Amino acid sequence: MPDDSMSPRPEGLAFESSIAHRVLRVCEIQDRIFSFNEQGDAVQCARVCQGWKDVALNHIWHTVYGVKPLFELLAPLVLSSDKSSDIVGLKYTRKIQPHDWLHFSEFAKRVKLLKIESSGEPFTNPLASVFVEVLRSRPETSILPNLTNLRLEVDSETSLLQYAVLFIHSKLRILFFRIILKQSNAPDVELFLNEVAARASNVQTLIANFTPSEFTRIESTFAHFLVRQESLVTLWLRRGTLTTVVLNASSCLPHLKQLSLLPANKRTDADTVQSISCEGGCEGQRFPSIRYIGLQSRLVSIASLVSAQRNFSQLLSLKIDIVSHNDADDLKKCLEVISTTCKALRILSFARSVDIGDRPAVLDQEKATITMATLMPMTLLPWLKNFRLTCTQPITISNDDLVDLLSRCSSLTTLSLNPEPVGLKEAHDKNMPSLAVLHRIAQCRPMLKTLSMCLNASGNDMLPLGIEISFQTLQTLSLGRSPIKNVDRVALYLSQVLPSSCTIETSDRSAAGWSRVKKKLPLFVDFRLEERRRIRDLEEEVRILRDRLLSASAMRGSLTPLETDSEEASTQETSSGDAMDEAKAEGSLTSGPNLEESADMTDATLICVKQEPDL
């Protein structure tokens, strides 16, 4: 019997297999396929063949958590304690040899992202002797030559910052560090910043998370560090650390496009947020490339800063954290300066970084009240798409003024007007916009995607049933602390103005009734959609019947005279047949010859009539 395995493959099959093989050997396609694998699957793929090994190892070692997996490649690690400090951690069982570094480089060259966190677990934290041994025996300055992303989370007791220079080099592009500052570790932090400035001058994204309470100890060092980062494009800072000195330093960066603030930590940032200011600002023309910026200060300081920066005319996003209670006049002046200076703005946000409104404070109600006149300057921003305002007191504005305001903002797609005011009382209900304004907003701004407001839903002025006016693209509706009484009536009204894909957002501060509205609304929306479907079906049936009647009328009106005579003859034939049937029933036609003669005459007459049109 011939051996089939030795017989040549068909030419077409061999050609197709060759094409598939060549396609799968393309590096980009292999990387894409292996990116869907889990860690265990990638390990199995690395053992298949030499061609898959490199690609699989690149994915396995792309992201490394902690230094233990890396240092274990050099020599065995065991759990031990430092006799001088009684600290338990990992240490080497032997000295590192040159051939260990050859084995280490095979995997170290694949590491692109390294995350180091001071967890306090002795099984993951090496002792200082391990870092000393690595520093002593390393053949090159950087042990991870292709590292581009480094994340460091360091507490106040660790000495990890002293040895972080092992991973700092010129190829680093993203640097994140969270450091708990204390008086004892301030020198180590300053040394670390100086080392980063000297070794990593091409960092493009920097996320610096320092403890605000002790930031003044390293403020000048950090500002000097920023000035040397000329390639920086994106800078994220913790609230409370964007001081005047830091702001002036960052304004000198030629390529900086984004300066933003990290989310606030209410527990640790609340005591320092009001002490931060940017008064004095930057002199001259600074921020040459800025597009997105977040600032934290009083409104008066923000207004003076914005008015002094000519390059803010190219700003696309401005987010402001207000660190004092709102004053309507200050807000209006700040909006006027922004609308005059930042004509290209797409995103404008005023918010509180902490809940200062919940603290005891004596507010002048007239000064704190925000009205239509306060918000009018925002209409001078022609490209504004996203506007958010969070203040202490409810916004006092009528339905007509609110519709007028939104009709002037032609590009607006996201609107948040203080959905959760702190000082909401029953006395404010009559001065708030009512829920019935939603269908009017849907008329003037049907393309809104997100809407958050505090509306009075306890009135009886909502849209009557049968009038269908709804938003077209609204995805999220948040009504916050809006007062509500009749849940069913509100849900029925919202089912008329909201699209089926829209969801209602609620929070812990939302009024109790809105959670029930959120549950009932889908039922009302389904009922409304079914009602609309039935109406459309009835309208379609009426249209079809109307078309048929019009077609029949048109056909009758377009008949020729001969066709009309033929139709009349047919009508006469039908009438004569009916008369004969009636006569038979009454017994008036009893003679057979007369009946046959009548039938013959009728047939002849019909034949003549039917032949007339042909003549």
Side-chain angles (χ1 to χ4, degrees):
M1 181 178 296
D3 187 3
D4 294 339
S5 62
M6 299 300 293
S7 59
R9 284 186 175 184
E11 183 177 353
L13 183 61
F15 178 74
E16 293 176 1
S17 177
S18 177
I19 291 178
H21 184 69
R22 289 200 297 268
V23 169
L24 291 177
R25 287 181 64 86
V26 177
C27 297
E28 290 78 5
I29 296 178
Q30 286 184 347
D31 287 336
R32 182 63 176 169
I33 294 174
F34 277 83
S35 64
F36 296 99
N37 287 342
E38 299 291 339
Q39 188 78 0
D41 297 333
V43 172
Q44 296 295 330
C45 292
R47 300 174 181 176
V48 173
C49 64
Q50 190 65 32
W52 283 16
K53 180 180 178 181
D54 288 339
V55 182
L57 288 178
N58 288 338
H59 286 275
I60 293 171
W61 288 93
H62 178 274
T63 303
V64 177
Y65 298 90
V67 296
K68 179 185 176 183
L70 293 170
F71 290 171
E72 281 182 332
L73 296 173
L74 294 169
L77 290 170
V78 295
L79 191 64
S80 180
S81 61
D82 191 347
K83 297 180 181 180
S84 60
S85 59
D86 295 332
I87 298 177
V88 180
L90 300 173
K91 75 172 186 177
Y92 281 126
T93 58
R94 62 174 177 84
K95 299 290 185 180
I96 300 176
Q97 303 300 324
H99 65 272
D100 295 328
W101 284 106
L102 294 176
H103 175 69
F104 177 84
S105 62
E106 178 65 21
F107 303 95
K109 66 182 181 181
R110 308 175 191 274
V111 179
K112 300 296 180 62
L113 170 59
L114 177 62
K115 298 181 180 181
I116 304 175
E117 181 179 357
S118 300
S119 61
E121 295 292 335
F123 295 98
T124 59
N125 289 336
L127 295 174
S129 60
V130 174
F131 290 98
V132 172
E133 177 63 18
V134 172
L135 286 170
R136 180 196 63 82
S137 61
R138 59 177 177 170
E140 298 178 356
T141 305
S142 176
I143 62 175
L144 301 177
N146 296 320
L147 185 69
T148 59
N149 191 335
L150 177 61
R151 297 176 60 91
L152 294 172
E153 297 189 21
V154 182
D155 57 27
S156 59
E157 303 299 332
T158 185
S159 59
L160 182 60
L161 285 179
Q162 300 177 10
Y163 308 107
V165 293
L166 287 168
F167 317 109
I168 305 296
H169 54 79
S170 60
K171 291 185 179 181
L172 204 62
R173 295 295 181 269
I174 302 175
L175 178 60
F176 166 85
F177 48 81
R178 182 181 64 83
I179 303 175
I180 300 177
L181 290 174
K182 288 191 176 182
Q183 184 177 1
S184 58
N185 66 356
D188 294 336
V189 175
E190 293 181 350
L191 179 61
F192 169 74
L193 293 176
N194 292 329
E195 289 288 343
V196 172
R199 297 172 182 267
S201 58
N202 297 320
V203 174
Q204 297 179 357
T205 301
L206 176 64
I207 306 172
N209 190 344
F210 293 109
T211 308
S213 58
E214 300 291 334
F215 181 71
T216 54
R217 299 182 182 277
I218 63 164
E219 180 183 18
S220 59
T221 304
F222 183 69
H224 181 66
F225 161 78
L226 282 179
V227 173
R228 300 172 65 181
Q229 299 296 320
E230 296 184 356
S231 300
L232 203 61
V233 177
T234 303
L235 175 61
W236 287 82
L237 298 175
R238 185 169 177 174
R239 285 168 170 80
T241 61
L242 183 58
T243 61
T244 304
V245 176
V246 175
L247 186 63
N248 283 323
S250 59
S251 67
C252 302
L253 299 175
H255 304 291
L256 186 66
K257 292 184 178 181
Q258 179 176 353
L259 174 59
S260 302
L261 300 176
L262 295 171
N265 187 329
K266 295 182 180 180
R267 182 174 59 86
T268 58
D269 294 355
D271 296 334
T272 59
V273 64
Q274 298 204 40
S275 64
I276 303 302
S277 68
C278 55
E279 294 178 355
C282 305
E283 298 179 358
Q285 187 175 357
R286 304 291 182 91
F287 296 105
S289 304
I290 198 70
R291 295 293 184 275
Y292 311 89
I293 191 168
L295 300 172
Q296 182 185 37
S297 183
R298 296 191 298 271
L299 290 174
V300 176
S301 301
I302 297 295
S304 61
L305 173 66
V306 173
S307 62
Q309 303 304 317
R310 287 179 291 175
N311 283 328
F312 276 12
S313 60
Q314 57 192 359
L315 268 183
L316 301 179
S317 174
L318 175 58
K319 297 182 179 181
I320 300 172
D321 275 2
I322 308 172
V323 299
S324 61
H325 290 284
N326 303 98
D327 190 315
D329 291 336
D330 292 341
L331 178 60
K332 182 180 179 181
K333 292 177 182 178
C334 188
L335 276 173
E336 289 175 349
V337 172
I338 292 173
S339 61
T340 304
T341 307
C342 312
K343 287 291 187 180
L345 267 185
R346 267 66 169 176
I347 300 173
L348 179 58
S349 173
F350 296 88
R352 297 189 308 266
S353 57
V354 293
D355 292 332
I356 57 176
D358 292 334
R359 303 175 183 177
V362 178
L363 297 178
D364 189 339
Q365 296 295 333
E366 294 183 0
K367 291 184 177 181
T369 301
I370 297 177
T371 61
M372 171 73 169
T374 308
L375 301 176
M376 275 303 291
M378 65 176 282
T379 61
L380 301 177
L381 297 171
W383 306 107
L384 187 64
K385 293 185 176 182
N386 188 326
F387 181 78
R388 297 178 182 272
L389 174 62
T390 303
C391 54
T392 307
Q393 299 297 317
I395 298 177
T396 302
I397 186 172
S398 65
N399 289 359
D400 295 337
D401 289 342
L402 180 60
V403 173
D404 184 27
L405 179 71
L406 296 182
S407 63
R408 298 170 185 262
C409 303
S410 58
S411 302
L412 202 64
T413 59
T414 299
L415 176 65
S416 178
L417 284 181
N418 200 29
E420 298 180 355
V422 177
L424 183 61
K425 299 179 181 179
E426 293 184 1
H428 295 115
D429 293 355
K430 60 181 180 180
N431 298 323
M432 292 169 51
S434 66
L435 188 68
V437 78
L438 284 180
H439 73 276
R440 299 179 62 184
I441 296 177
Q443 285 180 311
C444 66
R445 291 272 72 83
M447 304 309 293
L448 275 177
K449 295 182 179 180
T450 303
L451 179 61
S452 301
M453 293 186 66
C454 186
L455 303 174
N456 184 8
S458 60
N460 297 320
D461 58 343
M462 283 175 281
L463 186 72
L465 299 178
I467 302 178
E468 301 293 344
I469 301 173
S470 63
F471 293 93
Q472 299 180 13
T473 59
L474 193 65
Q475 301 173 358
T476 304
L477 175 65
S478 176
L479 296 170
R481 291 185 174 181
S482 301
I484 179 174
K485 290 182 179 180
N486 193 327
V487 173
D488 293 336
R489 183 176 179 84
V490 170
L492 188 60
Y493 169 70
L494 292 178
S495 67
Q496 298 178 86
V497 297
L498 299 182
S500 58
S501 59
C502 182
T503 58
I504 294 182
E505 286 189 351
T506 58
S507 64
D508 297 337
R509 294 183 174 183
S510 300
W514 291 111
S515 59
R516 288 184 288 163
V517 171
K518 184 178 181 180
K519 293 180 180 179
K520 291 187 176 184
L521 184 60
L523 299 177
F524 285 93
V525 170
D526 293 341
F527 170 76
R528 185 65 56 197
L529 292 176
E530 179 65 21
E531 184 182 32
R532 292 175 182 175
R533 185 187 64 81
R534 290 180 180 179
I535 292 175
R536 286 196 300 267
D537 293 343
L538 289 175
E539 290 177 350
E540 182 66 19
E541 292 181 5
V542 171
R543 187 189 63 80
I544 293 174
L545 291 175
R546 185 185 296 110
D547 292 344
R548 289 179 179 177
L549 290 175
L550 292 175
S551 299
S553 301
M555 290 180 64
R556 289 185 178 182
S558 62
L559 291 176
T560 61
L562 292 177
E563 290 175 340
T564 304
D565 295 342
S566 176
E567 185 173 348
E568 292 178 355
S570 300
T571 304
Q572 292 177 1
E573 177 186 356
T574 304
S575 301
S576 62
D578 295 340
M580 291 173 62
D581 292 340
E582 293 176 0
K584 283 183 178 181
E586 295 175 359
S588 59
L589 298 178
T590 56
S591 174
N594 293 335
L595 181 63
E596 292 176 358
E597 184 178 357
S598 300
D600 293 338
M601 290 176 64
T602 302
D603 293 340
T605 304
L606 289 175
I607 291 172
C608 293
V609 171
K610 290 180 180 179
Q611 289 179 354
E612 257 188 84
D614 297 334
L615 297 175

